[in-house]
Amino acid sequence: MTAPAPDLAARYQSGDLRALARAVTLAEAGLPAARPLLKLARAGGIRSVVLGITGSPGSGKSTLTDALIAALRGRGQRVAVLAVDPSSPYSGGAILGDRIRMLRHHADAGVFVRSLASRGALGGLSARTMAVLALLEGGGFDWIILETVGVGQSEVDVAAACDHTLLVVTPAGGDGVQAFKAGIMEIADVIAVNKSDLPGASRTVRELTSAQALGWHDEHTWLAPVRKTIASKGEGVDSVIEAVLKHRAHLGEAGLQERRRLRAEFEVRSLVQERLLRRAREVGDLYARVARGELDAEAAADELLGDS
């Protein structure tokens, strides 16, 4: 199949959620039929607030996402959620647990929730995530929330994929210290100290705020605001939304365009890597030849790239 049915494109443009779901399936599978739909989706420019949510496992990312949906719907905003779940390195299957957590929104036509498998991507995002994001933005949603797989220090690709990055930490378990060690603080535009009813929340807020001030900065530097939240009770969620909107104003049109350029760069790079890895697998004995010493790794890379 090289092109979508004409009625699918028309239904997608009209905001039909079933057509959107079909378009997402085509894009995730990397089928050529998705390309005309992606062209339609990208023709409208920047239309949505694209928020990435990252953080360590157990920090409450999914619960906070659910609370954000409720708060944004209360403001009359249409919301799409793309939840990237960890996939098995053996079967390729994924748990898709985030959809279970957000079931209370399933009957709301203003909410669209979709899970994608990470497909082993170390940065937490699969190569097809960017295409799906584009389709969601073309679907007319005011906010798109990308919740990434909780894999800690390798989870930084989200900064290249989204307009704004929300880092979720907790007072317990040394999450604040891990944020310093991993350098993940550098990608955070807003920080939520979730489960702030636990002991040590105020201390964590102070540490995170102080740590940012230690680096070089001037009056133009954005220092990520740190907000306390109790996602399970919906507390502090509005302050997070306001912090994101404040960062959007700080970026301005030029800053948002630069973020979208980075997203395009990430998408192209991811697809190139995916195709090269597929080609390497198709050359059945390439790795074996390197292992036997018949070919060095540099020569193998040259062979894959077609370099002499």
Side-chain angles (χ1 to χ4, degrees):
M1 182 169 55
T2 58
D7 65 316
L8 178 60
R11 286 166 48 216
Y12 167 73
Q13 285 187 295
S14 71
D16 186 321
L17 292 182
R18 288 182 178 273
L20 172 61
R22 177 58 181 161
V24 168
T25 298
L26 294 173
E28 187 185 9
L31 296 176
R35 292 186 180 182
L37 296 170
L38 286 167
K39 187 175 181 179
L40 288 173
R42 289 178 168 133
I46 298 174
R47 286 170 285 184
S48 308
V49 177
V50 183
L51 173 65
I53 299 183
T54 187
S56 58
S59 59
K61 296 188 299 296
S62 297
T63 305
L64 183 55
T65 299
D66 182 70
L68 283 167
I69 295 172
L72 289 167
R73 290 299 292 145
R75 299 181 179 210
Q77 303 287 285
R78 297 185 70 228
V79 185
V81 177
L82 185 59
V84 181
D85 280 311
S87 54
S88 166
Y90 303 104
S91 68
I95 298 173
L96 309 183
D98 296 292
R99 300 176 85 175
I100 298 172
R101 295 186 184 94
M102 300 171 199
L103 277 177
R104 66 173 171 143
H105 304 289
H106 79 280
D108 186 345
V111 178
F112 181 88
V113 179
R114 182 70 175 244
S115 291
L116 295 182
S118 65
R119 299 181 184 274
L122 292 179
L125 302 182
S126 71
R128 305 295 173 180
T129 306
M130 302 305 99
V132 176
L133 279 178
L135 288 170
L136 293 177
E137 189 160 19
F141 293 95
D142 300 298
W143 284 67
I144 300 171
I145 299 175
L146 172 63
E147 184 198 329
T148 63
V149 61
V151 293
Q153 297 187 14
S154 65
E155 196 174 2
V156 295
D157 284 346
V158 65
C162 300
D163 301 334
H164 319 279
T165 302
L166 171 63
L167 172 63
V168 185
V169 302
T170 60
D175 268 9
V177 175
Q178 287 300 318
F180 307 145
K181 287 170 56 180
I184 201 169
M185 284 268 292
E186 297 175 12
I187 71 165
D189 298 313
V190 179
I191 301 173
V193 178
N194 195 31
K195 305 180 183 180
S196 61
D197 49 345
L198 295 175
S202 296
R203 177 182 176 181
T204 302
V205 170
R206 290 194 301 271
E207 289 177 345
L208 291 168
T209 303
S210 300
Q212 295 182 77
L214 293 176
W216 183 92
H217 62 279
D218 60 19
E219 66 273 16
H220 304 296
T221 304
W222 175 263
L223 300 178
V226 185
R227 300 289 184 260
K228 287 184 180 180
T229 61
I230 306 176
S232 60
K233 299 179 180 178
E235 295 181 12
V237 177
D238 282 320
S239 68
V240 170
I241 294 173
E242 293 306 320
V244 172
L245 293 176
K246 185 176 180 181
H247 180 247
R248 196 169 188 81
H250 170 80
L251 287 176
E253 183 67 23
L256 286 171
Q257 290 292 350
E258 174 60 14
R259 296 259 169 149
R260 296 307 174 96
R261 186 196 67 79
L262 291 172
R263 184 201 295 186
E265 177 185 338
F266 176 81
E267 181 176 8
V268 173
R269 175 163 46 87
S270 297
L271 289 171
V272 169
Q273 291 172 344
E274 181 185 85
R275 292 181 184 185
L276 282 174
L277 290 174
R278 184 168 62 243
R279 185 184 299 177
R281 289 192 295 268
E282 291 170 353
V283 181
D285 65 342
L286 182 67
Y287 297 139
R289 287 162 61 200
V290 174
R292 290 194 299 267
E294 298 172 6
L295 195 67
D296 63 58
E298 291 283 352
D302 289 341
E303 185 173 320
L304 284 174
L305 293 170
D307 296 338
S308 56

